[in-house]
Amino acid sequence: MKILVINPGSTSTKIAVYDDEKPILLRNITHHAEELSQFGDVLEQRAFRRQLVLDELRQTEIPLEFDAVIGRGGLVKPIVGGVYEINDKMVGDTLHGCVMHSHACNLGCLIAHEIAATIPHCRAFIADPGVVDELSPLARISGSPLMPRICIWHALNQRAIARRYAHSIGKEYEDLNLIICHLGGGISVAAHEHGRAIDANNALDGEGPFSPERAGSLPAADLIRLCFSGKFTERQLLKSIAGQAGLTAHLGTNNMREILDRIKQGDEHAQLLVDAMLYHTAKQISAEAAVLCGNIDAILLTGGMAHSDYIVSELRRRIAFLAPVYTFPGENEMEALALNALAVLQGKQKAKVYQ
């Protein structure tokens, strides 16, 4: 089975071609700020990015002959985890409906759908988008009926890592209780109970620990006063929650290698901020331990920051008393997308219908 994988991010579009489980092409197409500045909105980048994908395939002499194209899922309405066949309803919601944020991940569904439509007998999918919602009824309730809790988290990578860990110990994901922490530009922490993420933070909209790019939970009253201060537009305030927040707001960069180098060179302020980020991350992990009533098989750390020995050791120092801690550095989204599509093509998994 030939599978094309498309994963749009804010400054890049990652693509991969798989022959069954074997990757035969991996590319990261970077987009410079001046290239993207010509577009008023992320969705306007669709044709530009689609053409770059097609150009890359042509330059590498890979024919446009695929059994499936799978894209990174967007921020549409909350859905249960799994693989979804892209349909008109999903495309419509992405373009005009219930998309909650102008985020590059929304392009994955659209580009996959458009490319697959040009290939005979080719199917188009998404899998485990960031809006996967399997929260328990208790987790949905907040202190205000105006604002029920939702989760936006790294569902694709977390579920892929959960399955990888389960396989490594000869068990199924559905057999285990896990706490998984994705350490990236945003930090998401979820409690996985027998194959369902029954609690997870909204890692995009302002909940949980702050991160390199996101503010995490903030004092609510202070935030309301800021909104009515007249000093900022709505767009500026939303950026101060996600994008220009967290370590970026404090230190002027989201580059963790640079920040960790500054710490090695004696930057005490950078040290304080990183340690505070890890302190709050450990608190979030410990809170999910309460969700699982302490019945935890393992804690899994993943994402780009899990490459750092310092970050992992500091978190381990605070959370190892809860359960064994294992690291799976980096993001495994391309492989996870390909394997999800392959499972459907081989009949091992049934594609869900987006409604």
Side-chain angles (χ1 to χ4, degrees):
M1 297 291 182
K2 294 290 193 305
I3 300 165
L4 173 62
V5 182
I6 302 171
N7 186 350
S10 57
T11 60
S12 69
T13 301
K14 298 176 184 176
I15 68 170
V17 174
Y18 276 74
D19 187 347
D20 287 344
E21 299 94 346
K22 181 182 178 182
I24 59 176
L25 173 72
L26 295 169
R27 289 288 188 273
N28 186 8
I29 306 169
T30 58
H31 311 305
H32 299 293
E34 55 269 23
E35 286 182 313
L36 300 182
S37 63
Q38 62 183 301
F39 303 104
D41 183 80
V42 164
L43 292 180
E44 294 178 13
Q45 301 172 17
R46 179 177 45 163
F48 166 73
R49 295 208 195 202
R50 181 183 67 240
Q51 190 58 49
L52 289 175
V53 172
L54 295 173
D55 290 345
E56 190 68 38
L57 294 173
R58 186 179 64 255
Q59 290 166 13
T60 53
E61 299 183 344
I62 293 177
L64 207 59
E65 299 171 357
F66 298 102
D67 297 285
V69 183
I70 185 165
R72 181 182 180 187
L75 302 177
V76 289
K77 67 182 182 181
I79 54 179
V80 298
V83 182
Y84 286 79
E85 192 128 20
I86 300 172
N87 57 18
D88 291 341
K89 171 65 173 171
M90 186 186 298
V91 171
D93 280 354
T94 303
L95 287 172
H96 312 294
C98 58
V99 168
M100 295 173 283
H101 292 274
S102 181
H103 191 284
C105 65
N106 294 324
L107 296 170
C109 151
L110 301 175
I111 296 174
H113 179 68
E114 290 169 350
I115 291 178
T118 68
I119 304 170
H121 312 296
C122 182
R123 301 173 72 181
F125 304 111
I126 66 165
D128 291 331
V131 290
V132 165
D133 185 339
E134 300 167 339
L135 298 183
S136 73
L138 294 176
R140 297 184 191 283
I141 298 172
S142 78
S144 169
L146 299 175
M147 292 175 281
R149 287 188 69 240
I150 65 168
C151 54
I152 301 176
W153 57 298
H154 301 89
L156 178 64
N157 191 43
Q158 286 209 22
R159 287 166 65 92
I161 290 302
R163 293 188 185 99
R164 180 184 295 185
Y165 171 72
H167 179 74
S168 73
I169 61 172
K171 292 190 176 181
E172 298 294 327
Y173 170 42
E174 292 76 12
D175 297 332
L176 301 172
N177 281 356
L178 303 168
I179 297 173
I180 307 180
C181 176
H182 180 105
L183 299 157
I187 296 175
S188 65
V189 184
H192 297 249
E193 183 178 58
H194 301 304
R196 293 179 65 87
I198 62 170
D199 192 86
N201 63 305
N202 185 337
L204 179 62
D205 254 357
E207 188 181 48
F210 71 88
S211 71
E213 297 177 0
R214 294 166 197 172
S217 299
L218 295 170
D222 288 345
L223 183 59
I224 291 171
R225 294 185 189 104
L226 202 62
C227 291
F228 286 88
S229 68
K231 298 178 181 178
F232 306 96
T233 65
E234 179 185 10
R235 184 179 180 86
Q236 288 172 326
L237 286 170
L238 288 172
K239 283 286 188 181
S240 73
I241 297 294
Q244 297 171 1
L247 295 181
T248 300
H250 284 287
L251 297 172
T253 181
N254 64 356
N255 188 316
M256 284 305 301
R257 287 183 183 145
E258 177 186 329
I259 293 170
L260 292 171
D261 283 343
R262 286 164 61 171
I263 291 173
K264 289 178 183 177
Q265 294 166 13
D267 188 330
E268 294 182 359
H269 184 55
Q271 175 91 61
L272 175 67
L273 289 165
V274 170
D275 286 349
M277 179 182 72
L278 300 176
Y279 169 91
H280 289 290
T281 302
K283 278 174 55 178
Q284 186 73 31
I285 292 170
S286 299
E288 300 299 353
V291 169
L292 295 173
C293 300
N295 181 19
I296 311 158
D297 293 294
I299 300 171
L300 310 182
L301 305 178
T302 185
M305 286 194 286
H307 285 290
S308 165
D309 291 338
Y310 177 76
I311 287 171
V312 170
S313 64
E314 281 299 296
L315 282 175
R316 193 185 297 273
R317 182 171 69 87
R318 292 187 179 275
I319 62 175
F321 72 96
L322 295 167
V325 180
Y326 302 94
T327 59
F328 294 83
E331 297 180 355
N332 300 274
E333 293 177 338
M334 305 303 282
E335 180 185 48
L337 286 168
L339 294 181
N340 271 294
L342 183 62
V344 173
L345 293 175
Q346 293 179 337
K348 297 176 181 177
Q349 189 175 157
K350 185 175 180 180
K352 293 181 169 66
V353 178
Y354 181 86
Q355 296 176 327

